[in-house]
Amino acid sequence: MKSRLITLIASLGLILSACSQQEQTAQASEREQENKDIVVAAFASTDQNQNGSLDADEANQMANSMFVSMDYDDSATVSAKEFDEWDFGLIYTAANAGQSVEYGTAKKILFALRDINADGVISQEEYQQSLEYDFIRADQDKDGSMSKEEYGKAFLPSLLFRAALEKVSAE
């Protein structure tokens, strides 16, 4: 009787463990799909001519629009506070994934990378220059444009935020 009970408890433990693992896998798949959807939406809003890739002009327009929208006080610079308060469209995704701290850290890293001269603010020139570098880096096939795939896999902000939103298992 005792051995049957132990076997039953062990079997239940395995079943619960498998169910928990399946649930974690499903949640990870949902987060991954949500992240892909955000990348697709961000890409589509930047791809002005709707040709499926971003050229340098579209990337520059994106950089200018983002900079102006971050510069709340119209000072021609973006402070760390302004940068932190501006959302890349991922704040709710991060909160739902329990990754708000990681998302905040990714934003701080991105600010530091954009603040080229490390003076605590990002000028429009610094922002433009850093996005041009990101564009060149993401253009993996060197065709002068950034495909949706390159945008999702090699564009620095996409890389940082994808890493911030992925839960790392403690295995």
Side-chain angles (χ1 to χ4, degrees):
M1 176 75 172
K2 207 175 201 181
S3 68
R4 278 187 171 175
L5 184 58
I6 291 172
T7 303
L8 179 62
I9 290 172
S11 297
L12 280 173
L14 287 173
I15 291 169
L16 289 174
S17 175
C19 289
S20 174
Q21 197 168 30
Q22 285 177 338
E23 183 178 328
Q24 288 174 353
T25 301
Q27 288 173 346
S29 291
E30 286 175 27
R31 266 195 310 280
E32 186 176 312
Q33 184 57 49
E34 192 172 294
N35 292 343
K36 284 180 183 176
D37 292 346
I38 290 166
V39 167
V40 167
F43 184 87
S45 70
T46 306
D47 184 13
Q48 297 296 312
N49 60 11
Q50 302 296 304
N51 69 348
S53 66
L54 302 180
D55 60 32
D57 288 337
E58 289 169 321
N60 286 333
Q61 288 175 4
M62 172 186 67
N64 287 330
S65 295
M66 289 174 73
F67 184 87
V68 168
S69 68
M70 282 188 248
D71 183 16
Y72 297 135
D73 63 4
D74 295 322
S75 64
T77 61
V78 174
S79 67
K81 184 177 190 259
E82 287 173 316
F83 194 85
D84 186 55
E85 289 175 354
W86 196 83
D87 182 39
F88 288 85
L90 298 169
I91 196 165
Y92 296 113
T93 302
N96 289 338
Q99 299 292 102
S100 294
V101 170
E102 293 81 355
Y103 177 60
T105 301
K107 285 175 71 175
K108 286 179 176 135
I109 292 168
L110 189 56
F111 179 85
L113 292 170
R114 299 282 186 251
D115 182 13
I116 295 169
N117 64 4
D119 66 352
V121 294
I122 304 169
S123 69
Q124 191 154 14
E125 294 78 29
E126 286 175 308
Y127 199 76
Q128 191 71 38
Q129 184 180 4
S130 60
L131 262 103
E132 285 173 13
Y133 173 77
D134 292 346
F135 180 88
I136 291 166
R137 182 185 175 283
D139 181 15
Q140 296 179 324
D141 61 7
K142 306 299 180 215
D143 67 352
S145 65
M146 186 176 11
S147 69
K148 192 183 312 179
E149 186 173 77
E150 290 169 328
Y151 182 88
K153 291 184 177 178
F155 188 56
L156 182 64
S158 296
L159 290 172
L160 280 172
F161 295 138
R162 189 174 69 231
L165 297 175
E166 288 178 1
K167 278 216 187 250
V168 179
S169 65
E171 293 178 353

